[in-house]
C-alpha cells in the first residue's frame, strides 16, 4: 500500500472478524458466484447507483424497514438468472440454524446482486441454488482466492468499444487498518463498461485494447462509440464492504454510499445506464465507535474499494478468448 495506509493480515475482507467468503467457479462456462457470510452482523445496508441493477431482497435493508441486517451477501454472475443462487445459500444457512427469528423458524436474510456474464462463456449456464449452496458451504475466514473466480469468473472491463476491445475483469479483495483497531475490508467483482485506473498514480491499468499493448484513450474511445455500443446494458461492479466498527444503521448506510466513491475513483465511466453498480455494507459491531469516527471509516471504505478493484484487474487471468491486462501487455511486448 502507499505510505500512511496499512492493510490487515490477509489484505482481504475476511480481516473483519466474523466475515467468511466462499466461491463457486465454472471456468468452462465462464461464470460463478461468491458468498460473503456475516452471520452475526449488527446492521447491513445497500446503495444502488447503476442504471441497470439486478438485485434480490435489498428492500429489507432499507432504513425505514424492520430487519436492516443480513446473514450473507451473494455476488453472482448469470445476470438475473444468477439470483437463484441465493436460494441455495438460504437453504445452507437454515440447516446451520442461522436466520432472523420468527415464531415458526429462523429465516436467513440473503440479499444478492448480479453481473452480466452471459456473453462470455455459455449463455445458458449460470449459478443456481445448488451452486449457491456449495459456495456458502465453502465460506471460510483467512485468505481469499482472487481473479477469475467466483462472481468475477466471467467479468470483463473496458468495453466502451465492444467486446473485441475488452479485457478480463475479475474479483478482488483488500482491507485497510485504521486507528483504535478499526478494520474495513472490501470485496468487488469488476465487470465495468469503463476502464480502470490507479487513483494514486493516474496510470491506466485496463482500457479498450489498441495496438502494441496500448489502450485507446478515453476521449478517442468516446468519439468512436456507436449507437449499437451505447445500447449494450451488460455491465456492473458489485461491491461488499465490511467493518468491525459498532455503528448505527444510518452510519452503515453512509459506508455503502462511500463505497461508490472508491468505484468512481478507479472506474471511468461508472454508474451509467448500462451499469448495475451496487454496494453492500456490513457492520459487525465489535469495536466501539464515536460519532466522529464516521469520517475516517468512510475514507477507509473508499480506499478499500479502490484497492479491491485494482486487485481484481491485476489478479484476473485470460479466459474465453479475452486477455487479462497483464497478458495483453506482455504478449504485445514480445512481438
Amino acid at each position: 500500500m502507499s505510505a500512511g495506509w496499512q492493510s490487515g493480515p490477509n489484505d482481504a475482507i475476511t480481516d473483519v472478524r466474523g466475515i467468511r467468503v466462499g466461491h463457486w467457479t465454472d471456468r468452462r462456462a465462464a461464470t460463478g458466484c461468491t458468498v460473503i457470510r456475516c452471520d452475526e452482523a449488527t446492521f447491513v445496508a445497500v446503495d444502488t447507483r447503476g442504471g441497470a441493477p439486478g438485485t434480490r431482497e435489498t428492500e429489507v435493508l432499507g432504513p425505514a424497514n424492520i430487519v436492516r441486517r443480513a446473514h450473507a451477501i451473494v455476488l453472482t454472475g448469470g445476470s438475473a438468472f444468477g439470483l437463484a443462487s441465493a436460494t441455495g445459500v438460504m437453504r445452507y444457512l437454515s440447516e446451520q440454524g442461522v436466520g432472523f427469528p420468527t415464531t415458526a423458524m429462523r429465516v436467513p436474510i440473503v440479499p444478492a446482486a448480479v453481473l452480466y456474464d452471459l456473453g462470455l462463456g455459455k449463455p445458458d449456464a449460470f449459478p443456481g441454488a445448488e451452486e449457491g449452496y456449495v459456495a456458502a458451504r465453502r465460506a471460510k475466514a483467512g485468505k481469499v482466492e482472487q481473479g477469475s473466480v467466483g462472481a468475477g469468473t466471467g467479468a470483463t472491463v473496458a468495453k466502451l468499444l465492444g467486446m473485441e476491445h475488452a479485457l478480463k475483469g475479475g474479483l478482488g479483495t483488500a482491507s485497510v487498518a485504521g486507528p483504535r483497531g478499526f478494520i474495513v475490508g472490501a470485496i468487488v467483482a469488476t465487470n465495468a463498461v469503463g476502464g480502470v485506473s490507479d487513483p494514486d498514480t493516474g496510470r491506466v491499468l485496463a482500457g479498450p485494447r489498441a495496438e502494441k499493448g496500448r489502450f485507446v484513450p478515453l476521449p478517442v474511445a468516446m468519439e468512436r462509440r456507436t449507437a449499437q455500443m451505447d445500447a449494450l446494458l451488460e455491465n456492473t461492479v458489485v461491491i461488499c464492504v465490511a467493518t468491525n466498527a459498532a455503528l448505527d444503521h444510518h452510519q452503515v448506510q453512509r459506508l455503502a454510499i462511500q463505497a461508490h466513491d472508491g468505484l468512481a475513483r478507479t472506474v471511468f465511466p461508472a454508474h451509467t445506464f448500462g451499469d448495475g453498480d451496487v454496494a453492500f455494507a456490513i457492520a459487525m459491531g465489535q469495536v466501539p465507535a464515536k460519532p466522529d469516527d464516521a469520517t475516517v471509516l468512510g475514507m477507509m471504505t473508499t480506499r478499500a474499494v479502490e484497492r479491491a478493484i485494482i486487485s481484481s484487474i491485476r489478479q484476473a487471468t485470460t479466459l474465453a478468448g479475452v486477455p487479462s491486462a497483464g497478458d495483453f501487455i506482455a504478449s504485445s511486448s514480445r512481438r
Side-chain angles (χ1 to χ4, degrees), residues 13 21 23 34-36 75 144-145 171-174 185-189 238-242 304-305 308:
I13 192 172
V21 173
H23 301 308
T34 296
V35 173
I36 302 99
L75 311 180
V144 177
E145 187 178 5
L171 182 131
T173 188
I187 190 165
V188 180
V238 286
I239 302 167
C240 183
V241 299
V305 171

Side-chain angles (χ1 to χ4, degrees), residues 8-295:
N10 296 297
D11 200 12
I13 192 172
T14 49
D15 287 328
V16 177
R17 183 162 51 88
I19 298 292
R20 288 172 279 179
V21 173
H23 301 308
W24 175 84
T25 301
D26 185 345
R27 288 181 59 84
R28 182 172 297 179
T31 192
C33 62
T34 296
V35 173
I36 302 99
R37 287 189 59 181
C38 52
D39 301 9
E40 302 300 324
T42 54
F43 287 113
V44 179
V46 64
D47 187 73
T48 302
R49 296 290 171 102
T55 58
R56 164 176 164 153
E57 206 157 21
T58 52
E59 287 300 313
V60 73
L61 305 178
N65 298 326
I66 192 170
V67 177
R68 292 178 293 167
R69 60 171 297 188
H71 304 96
I73 302 294
V74 178
L75 311 180
T76 181
S79 190
F81 295 107
L83 290 172
S85 60
T87 299
V89 179
M90 285 188 68
R91 178 163 61 89
Y92 179 80
L93 293 178
S94 181
E95 292 173 358
Q96 309 307 306
V98 174
F100 186 81
T102 73
T103 55
M105 63 181 296
R106 289 184 173 271
V107 179
I109 307 299
V110 184
V114 306
L115 58 82
Y116 185 95
D117 57 8
L118 302 180
L120 190 63
K122 298 179 180 179
D124 58 350
F126 35 80
E130 289 305 313
E131 291 74 23
Y133 184 97
V134 170
R137 188 184 66 207
R138 290 174 175 170
K140 60 183 179 61
K143 291 288 186 181
V144 177
E145 187 178 5
Q146 301 182 67
S148 300
V149 298
T153 304
T156 50
V157 298
K159 292 171 281 190
L160 283 167
L161 296 178
M163 283 298 294
E164 62 269 27
H165 294 272
L167 289 167
K168 193 68 184 63
L171 182 131
T173 188
S175 67
V176 175
R180 301 201 317 280
F182 289 134
I183 293 280
V184 175
I187 190 165
V188 180
T190 310
N191 186 60
V193 67
V196 178
S197 301
D198 184 337
D200 286 347
T201 64
R203 179 189 172 200
V204 177
L205 303 177
R209 282 179 280 157
E211 296 179 349
K212 299 180 180 179
R214 295 174 180 160
F215 303 131
V216 178
L218 180 62
V220 176
M222 297 307 294
E223 290 178 2
R224 289 169 53 184
R225 280 179 64 76
T226 66
Q228 183 179 12
M229 294 172 187
D230 282 334
L232 296 176
L233 307 178
E234 301 173 353
N235 318 284
T236 289
V237 178
V238 286
I239 302 167
C240 183
V241 299
T243 181
N244 60 358
L247 301 174
D248 291 333
H249 186 265
H250 72 279
Q251 295 170 312
V252 183
Q253 185 68 56
R254 182 57 51 182
L255 296 189
I257 292 168
Q258 289 173 295
H260 284 285
D261 295 342
L263 165 58
R265 280 173 51 82
T266 50
V267 177
F268 191 80
H271 307 136
T272 73
F273 283 114
D275 287 299
D277 302 332
V278 176
F280 297 96
I282 301 167
M284 298 302 288
Q286 297 144 351
V287 178
K290 299 177 292 186
D292 57 355
D293 288 324
T295 298

